[in-house]
Amino acid sequence: MIQLTRKIEFSASHFYHNPEFSPEENRHVFGKCNNPHGHGHNYSLEVTVAGEPDPATGMVLDLKELKEILEQEVMQRMDHRHLNYEVPELAGQIPTCENIARVIWNLLEPKITQGKLHRVRLYESADLFADCYRNGAKSA
Amino acid sequence: MTSEPKIELGRRYRFAASHRLHTSRLTEDENCRVYGKCNNPFGHGHNYMVEVSVSGKVDPATGMIANLADLDNFVHREVIDPFDHRYLNEEVAAFRETVPTTENLCVEIFERLKMFPHAKLERVRIEETGKNSFEYSGNDAVGDRELLNSEGNKP
């Protein structure tokens, strides 16, 4: 089994706010991230696909194809966007690293047909990231 | 039927500390041969990077596995404050009897962090330098080892 990783970067803005919390609770739980004007990050995304190399091509999957999937599913949706307002898949969710990574996993997983999506790692900064792996709980 | 991914939160911390690799199980010559420059009796130091991964349910109200402020406070209290700018062999009790290799640091830090009350500790990964890194995931089949003291015994 070989694991292949492709990295992309995108920039986006967000803020954290739960309308069911009081203003004080929002400030207490989310701190600086509660600023309603929003703030931004340079996100770095590592997508790892696992599989056996095709004997004919020596590739687990064609990197051009992966690049195209990442462009369609991630860059066009999220790059230079406000994650609270412009990404329907995140509607009603706090756009934390955990939730964005899960949305990206769910977007990519059905699109990757050669090999299997193994891990999505989303860095919000060099010191903070979320990982998604396949072996999650099954849900209907 | 869809499969929701398992989600982990990873956070990196840094501390700088000195240590010396030396064990009373070995002779002076053997210590010198095994540990090389790291056996220098005056010690030496590193900028350590500690990567902490935790897992758990993402709370729909906050979007978080654990509040970063809680995790940061806990890691600072348990690890960064007692380790940063210290001589590990003398100033961290566990390493008075145990060689402070980065393998043993991983185990010690994992033991200190596994009591984090808001999420499950999955893994501790430490970079001693940009070229060496070590990981420990607790007492699973692969990582089932305990700290050995300088006599080769479990403390």
Side-chain angles (χ1 to χ4, degrees):
Chain A
M1 183 78 83
I2 300 288
Q3 294 180 2
L4 173 157
T5 299
R6 175 99 187 160
K7 185 170 157 181
I8 59 168
E9 292 178 0
F10 63 92
S11 303
S13 58
H14 71 173
F15 69 104
Y16 297 167
H17 179 82
N18 184 332
E20 293 180 8
F21 290 171
S22 69
E24 293 72 25
E25 274 180 300
N26 269 297
R27 275 195 294 275
H28 174 70
V29 173
F30 298 127
K32 281 184 186 173
C33 300
N34 186 231
N35 177 356
H37 300 291
H39 62 280
H41 297 285
N42 296 323
Y43 290 92
S44 175
L45 176 71
E46 292 175 6
V47 174
T48 302
V49 178
E52 295 298 340
D54 181 330
T57 63
M59 298 173 178
V60 174
L61 83 168
D62 189 337
L63 268 183
K64 288 196 299 294
E65 206 174 296
L66 181 58
K67 189 178 168 187
E68 185 57 30
I69 293 170
L70 295 177
E71 173 64 30
Q72 290 292 330
E73 301 300 327
V74 181
M75 295 303 279
Q76 292 199 10
R77 264 191 185 79
M78 300 187 183
D79 189 35
H80 287 73
R81 302 284 185 179
H82 195 303
L83 300 175
N84 295 65
Y85 302 126
E86 296 187 272
V87 180
E89 290 80 5
L90 280 165
Q93 299 183 58
I94 314 286
T96 55
C97 215
E98 292 95 314
N99 277 336
I100 303 165
R102 176 168 53 194
V103 162
I104 291 174
W105 173 282
N106 286 330
L107 288 167
L108 297 181
E109 204 276 332
K111 301 282 178 186
I112 290 171
T113 51
Q114 291 173 279
K116 277 192 157 186
L117 185 58
H118 173 72
R119 188 182 80 175
V120 162
R121 171 172 284 191
L122 180 68
Y123 287 90
E124 181 180 291
S125 69
D127 291 337
L128 178 65
F129 58 89
D131 285 327
C132 287
Y133 293 96
R134 175 168 300 278
N135 56 339
K138 296 272 181 193
S139 62
Chain B
M1 190 103 164
T2 58
S3 173
E4 278 292 308
K6 178 182 180 183
I7 305 182
E8 295 180 4
L9 178 72
R11 182 75 157 151
R12 291 179 180 164
Y13 304 90
R14 289 173 180 78
F15 68 88
S18 59
H19 72 168
R20 180 198 184 197
L21 301 188
H22 183 87
T23 170
S24 57
R25 293 176 72 194
L26 301 176
T27 65
E28 291 297 319
D29 283 353
E30 285 170 330
N31 268 293
C32 200
R33 184 174 54 78
V34 171
Y35 295 124
K37 283 184 183 175
C38 301
N39 189 235
N40 176 353
F42 297 106
H44 63 282
H46 297 287
N47 295 322
Y48 291 94
M49 188 287 290
V50 182
E51 185 181 289
V52 177
S53 292
V54 299
S55 68
K57 188 174 173 297
V58 177
D59 183 342
T62 62
M64 298 171 180
I65 290 174
N67 195 305
L68 268 189
D70 292 337
L71 182 62
D72 287 353
N73 287 339
F74 189 81
V75 174
H76 276 269
R77 192 181 73 216
E78 297 297 325
V79 176
I80 305 303
D81 292 346
F83 286 43
D84 189 33
H85 286 72
R86 304 281 186 176
Y87 180 47
L88 298 176
N89 299 57
E90 296 289 339
E91 297 188 87
V92 174
F95 298 119
R96 292 202 188 108
E97 300 295 326
T98 304
V99 189
T101 57
T102 311
E103 292 91 325
N104 280 335
L105 259 178
C106 278
V107 177
E108 174 65 16
I109 290 176
F110 189 95
E111 291 300 314
R112 286 170 178 244
L113 296 182
K114 73 181 184 186
M115 302 311 287
F116 180 60
H118 304 295
K120 177 178 184 286
L121 180 63
E122 290 284 341
R123 195 176 314 105
V124 167
R125 189 177 77 86
I126 303 178
E127 290 181 4
E128 184 185 43
T129 69
K131 293 177 182 170
N132 300 331
S133 73
F134 303 81
E135 289 184 32
Y136 183 62
S137 309
N139 288 326
D140 54 18
V142 181
D144 189 4
R145 58 189 298 277
E146 293 176 57
L147 289 170
L148 296 181
N149 65 24
S150 54
E151 305 302 324
N153 300 315
K154 290 171 184 174

